[in-house]
Amino acid sequence: MVMVTECSFPYVKGGVGGVIDQMLKGLPDTKFGLIHLAWDESATRARKYDIPGNVRWVKNIYLDPRNQPSGSRPRFLPRRIFAPTKSSCSEAGIMTILEAMDAASRGDYSGVRNIYRDYLNPRTRAHDLRQILRSREGMLAFENRYRNLGMSLTRTFWLYDNFISLLMLLATDIYPDGQVYHAQTQLYAGLVAAIAAAQNGRPMVLTEHGLNIRDSIAFMDNTDLPPVEKDTWRTWFRSVGRLVYEEASYATYQFERNVQEAETAGLDRSKVRMISNGINLADFARARQRNATKSLPTNHEWTIAYAGRIVEPKGILDLIDAIEILRTKTSIRFKVDMIGPSDGSEAFLRKCEQITKKRGLAGIIKFTGPRALSEAMAEVDILVLPTHTDALPIVLLEAMASSVPVVATDVGAIMEVIADPVPEPAVPGNHVGPAGIVIPAKRPALIASAIKALMTDMPLYNACRHNGPARIEINHRADKIMAQYHELYQFATRHQKTGYCGNEATRLAKNTNIGAMVAAETRNTRLNDSNVISM
């Protein structure tokens, strides 16, 4: 199996990285390769996770053009394979390329698949796409087609060259073979998985923890680019996203709302498999035993904690506001531990520390840095996650497994995980109640009120700390989740269709002499790339 991810495991702690770490360790009998996308080499200098023994190799792909080798040749390929490559193309051929790109923006990818075969796939291509588009004929055709966009030819060309450069980078490499390519995010990781699956005639599985298309478009909306450039980038994100959806054999989600939104972006509902995140209850046995039985006398000093990256989208400023409000609403003693790394957001961490000091909260709120949560949860009374955007945060499952009641915002799957009734399999008609309180995002006063409710209503508090492990046992046990993924991998392999990802037109490298030659010459050497680390 080949796992494909972006800015995550093994170089970024938490989030999707934690999920991948759990999957690799939870499927010890499955052999994995890992393709990791990052902007540049600085992002991959230090590993934040140990690599399990079942991971045989790691291949890093860098999107920064300055990190690319000289020339455009994929380093997996023998030099002589490029002898027949041509850069000339008729005007009609160039217009076919441009029309195929435009058709892809409307959801028709048949022309793009032909472009991949003839101009990008290193096993089958007969022309070099970039040289063609930069030829005199290519520039004239480009100018003629896009003269009415409202930008200069130079600006239009370099805007589109961004997209061509990414395609050239990702589509002109030969990827190591694997039974299934599993993309852990949409867009570029998904695109790499789709390309690798197409090259090797394998199925592709997509897992969306969040919705990258939506988030990427939202990011672009907040830039100061001219409207026409924003529209072009939005079209690019939507086009890549729809292509990934189309090429995926299956797509997994943790909650229904993401599925519905993905459908509006082009996902075929029949490909969906609901697989939640999971956790190993045994890892939190010590914390659970302590928290399930501890007494909370009236003079108890409560320990409130946040656990996660110290970054603005996690709602850290909302929590600081809520603690300032809470201090005025109750005489109960409490302290707040902010547990987690800044992960490149050191300026934001300093800002938070300055705010707490300015408001006189420095004696209450402490930024402790990263800690092992299996140990830290034994000291926590209430976990607060005021995030603005998330899918299914693992930290909530860790708190529930530790019998720690939670206060969290209603984003992603949080309402389903924390508060929606969960049927008890052993007792028909019975349901497990909430493990905490869910409130709307960006509402500090409601965060304060929810924390106070848990500190002052002991029947509520006791019910929440009892319900957490029960909800994990039913819906989020790691062994059950890993069994679902293992079954999906086996199902995808057994029911692989005759064409790549179900599209016969994309079976591009089969029955071609050049494809057979590459396969023979790289069978034993395909990992001899400076960005591939054999494990």
Side-chain angles (χ1 to χ4, degrees), residues 506-524:
T506 63
R507 184 175 284 278
L508 305 180
K510 298 300 180 184
N511 302 318
T512 60
N513 292 332
I514 191 170
M517 182 170 65
V518 171
E521 296 197 14
T522 62
R523 183 174 296 115
N524 298 317

Side-chain angles (χ1 to χ4, degrees), residues 146-163:
Y146 298 116
R147 67 171 69 244
N148 296 322
L149 278 181
M151 294 188 294
S152 68
L153 173 63
T154 300
R155 187 149 191 164
T156 302
F157 174 81
W158 287 114
L159 175 62
Y160 276 82
D161 193 66
N162 285 320
F163 311 139

Side-chain angles (χ1 to χ4, degrees), residues 30-105:
T30 302
K31 308 305 179 186
F32 284 94
L34 178 68
I35 299 175
H36 178 270
L37 282 72
W39 177 245
D40 58 27
E41 290 180 340
S42 66
T44 60
R45 286 174 183 159
R47 295 179 186 170
K48 301 298 178 64
Y49 291 95
D50 294 330
I51 306 293
N54 59 331
V55 176
R56 296 305 178 87
W57 52 265
V58 177
K59 174 180 171 62
N60 293 314
I61 297 176
Y62 302 111
L63 302 181
D64 186 348
R66 292 169 296 184
N67 265 162
Q68 306 312 316
S70 59
S72 60
R73 294 176 178 171
R75 285 170 288 170
F76 280 134
L77 285 175
R79 181 178 298 271
R80 68 174 180 273
I81 286 181
F82 287 86
T85 300
K86 306 166 187 168
S87 59
S88 61
C89 189
S90 67
E91 182 178 350
I94 293 171
M95 292 305 296
T96 298
I97 294 171
L98 298 180
E99 288 168 0
M101 295 172 63
D102 288 346
S105 70

